[in-house]
């Protein structure tokens, strides 16, 4: 049975483990600082008694991922491929802008949701990641870059691994660890309706983004199998409830696909959904994929769509695709392409 990753433990759990084994509770805070502020990867470097060092070594592993590949895009985006201790692929992307360095982390190896436009979906699910494996992706990027934002939008559906995602967000927000404000942490879901309510109940320190992708059930059914379980009516109800109870905005992610989601009719559907809500829309043009039925619209089609939506005072931002040349853009993460 492999050892648990020490980074998966909450500060409270670590404190209890230490007390149960005859050590002072304050050691938990010290160890947290060494793990998440100083980002140590061995116990030896920690200034703790040798006996405690041995106890930790015998009970917890400190490192879970090994780097297999690092690729840098012409636009500065960097993608890493890691392998877990049980040899499963995990990908992480860092997207730099003038003011930010955002890390897009994976929450699962592969994904079970099967979205038609996504390479990860075609892999199927290997398994969900531990909180420690999610945090280690961020620690690794922090060694090379000053990370400002974390987006849970890499491989996997974060809300199908909510326990680990919650633990990771709490640690990222913790003053003794990463000290990142809630506004800098975004959890994105394809629409796992019951888990949106759970995220709210747990008071997870994060913002919510929802991959709307399409604004009518027929198109969404064809692109995202999850829509057949929780359709748009149910999803929008969950979003409304989240916004009402949290008082926060929700970001809707929309993908512009030729003849499907980038038409006049699609613009009308999107306006109908967004206009009455406190949502902003981030749109991206479909990235290259292996599905011949899904094509990117022309620049003119994109501009016409944006004009129609903006004419109704709906806030829609178009995000520039990043890291396409290294298959690091949205929907492109998959072991098969590296
Ligand atoms: S888009 Fe997200 S939820 Fe859908 S298959 Fe890809 S990784 Fe999974």
């Amino acid at each position: 049975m492999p050892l648990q990753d020490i980074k998966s433990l909450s500060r409270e759990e670590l404190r209890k483990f230490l007390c149960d084994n005859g050590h002072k509770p304050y050691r938990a805070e010290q160890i947290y600082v060494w793990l998440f502020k100083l980002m140590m990867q061995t116990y030896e470097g920690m200034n703790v008694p040798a006996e405690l060092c041995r106890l930790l070594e015998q009970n917890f592993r400190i490192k879970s991922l090994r780097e297999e590949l690092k690729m840098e895009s012409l636009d500065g985006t960097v993608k890493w491929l890691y392998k877990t201790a049980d040899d499963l692929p995990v990908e992480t992307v860092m997207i730099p802008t003038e003011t930010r360095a955002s890390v897009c982390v994976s929450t699962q190896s592969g994904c079970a949701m099967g979205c038609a436009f996504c390479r990860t979906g075609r892999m199927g699910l290997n398994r969900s990641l531990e909180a420690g494996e999610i945090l280690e992706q961020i620690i690794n990027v922090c060694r090379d870059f000053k990370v400002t934002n974390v987006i849970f939008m890499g491989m996997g559906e974060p809300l199908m691994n909510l326990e680990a995602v919650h633990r990771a967000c709490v640690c990222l927000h913790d003053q003794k660890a990463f000290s990142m404000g809630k506004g800098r942490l975004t959890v994105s879901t394809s629409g796992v309706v019951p888990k949106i309510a759970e995220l709210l109940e747990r008071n997870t320190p994060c913002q919510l983004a929802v991959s709307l992708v399409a604004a009518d059930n027929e198109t969404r059914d064809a692109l995202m199998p999850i829509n057949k379980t929780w359709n748009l009516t149910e999803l929008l109800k969950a979003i409304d409830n989240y916004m009402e109870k949290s008082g926060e905005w929700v970001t809707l992610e929309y993908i512009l696909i030729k003849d499907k989601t980038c038409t006049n009719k699609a613009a009308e559907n999107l306006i109908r959904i967004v206009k009455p809500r406190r949502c902003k829309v981030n749109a991206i043009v479909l990235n290259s994929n292996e599905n011949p039925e899904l094509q990117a619209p022309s620049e003119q089609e994109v501009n016409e769509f944006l004009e129609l939506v903006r004419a109704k005072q709906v806030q829609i931002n178009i995000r520039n695709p990043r890291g396409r040349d290294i298959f690091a853009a949205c929907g492109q993460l998959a072991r098969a392409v590296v």
Side-chain angles (χ1 to χ4, degrees), residues 110-115 117-122 154-157 190 224 331:
C111 183
M113 309 312 281
C115 301
F117 49 85
C118 176
R119 286 172 186 243
T120 314
R122 229 160 286 144
M155 282 181 168
E157 163 53 65
S190 58
M224 304 177 81

Side-chain angles (χ1 to χ4, degrees), residues 111-316:
C111 183
M113 309 312 281
C115 301
F117 49 85
C118 176
R119 286 172 186 243
T120 314
R122 229 160 286 144
M123 282 173 67
L125 175 67
N126 290 316
R127 71 164 167 84
S128 288
L129 300 181
E130 276 185 40
E133 292 170 316
I134 298 173
L135 291 166
E136 193 166 318
Q137 295 172 60
I138 301 155
I139 289 173
N140 289 341
V141 181
C142 284
R143 289 215 177 82
D144 295 335
F145 300 94
K146 192 168 170 8
V147 172
T148 59
N149 295 66
V150 177
I151 314 160
F152 292 77
M153 208 190 273
M155 282 181 168
E157 163 53 65
L159 296 192
M160 295 305 272
N161 188 16
L162 183 50
E163 174 62 30
V165 167
H166 174 81
R167 280 171 180 263
C169 284
V170 170
C171 181
L172 288 164
H173 190 54
D174 189 337
Q175 293 294 323
K176 295 285 176 203
F178 293 85
S179 306
M180 294 180 78
K182 177 179 166 167
R184 294 180 179 275
L185 310 174
T186 303
V187 171
S188 173
T189 180
S190 58
V192 188
V193 162
K195 297 283 178 181
I196 293 177
E198 200 182 320
L199 191 70
L200 194 65
E201 278 162 29
R202 284 172 175 255
N203 205 12
T204 305
C206 67
Q207 293 185 313
L208 178 66
V210 174
S211 296
L212 186 71
V213 178
D216 68 279
N217 276 319
E218 197 183 327
T219 313
R220 205 166 186 271
D221 273 352
L223 295 171
M224 304 177 81
I226 193 172
N227 200 63
K228 293 178 186 151
T229 308
W230 295 289
N231 66 21
L232 271 174
T233 312
E234 290 162 288
L235 178 58
L236 292 170
K237 212 166 132 193
I239 291 172
D240 288 343
N241 181 50
Y242 183 94
M243 289 195 293
E244 191 193 318
K245 300 219 168 97
S246 67
E248 311 258 346
W249 286 58
V250 170
T251 302
L252 300 178
E253 308 285 345
Y254 190 82
I255 303 186
L256 293 161
I257 306 173
K258 191 176 180 59
D259 299 333
K260 295 190 188 302
T261 60
C262 192
T263 62
N264 292 0
K265 183 80 192 135
E268 279 170 30
N269 290 332
L270 183 63
I271 291 162
R272 211 175 14 251
I273 285 178
V274 182
K275 188 88 178 139
R277 297 184 163 83
R278 276 158 47 101
C279 292
K280 62 173 182 200
V281 183
N282 278 342
I284 53 163
V285 175
L286 179 74
N287 285 309
S288 69
N289 68 91
E290 285 141 14
N291 188 337
E293 286 175 24
L294 303 179
Q295 297 297 325
S298 67
E299 205 177 319
Q300 190 185 338
E301 286 167 328
V302 170
N303 288 337
E304 282 169 10
F305 182 89
L306 294 177
E307 265 173 43
L308 279 174
V309 175
R310 286 178 180 149
K312 298 289 177 193
Q313 283 77 46
V314 166
Q315 194 187 337
I316 182 165

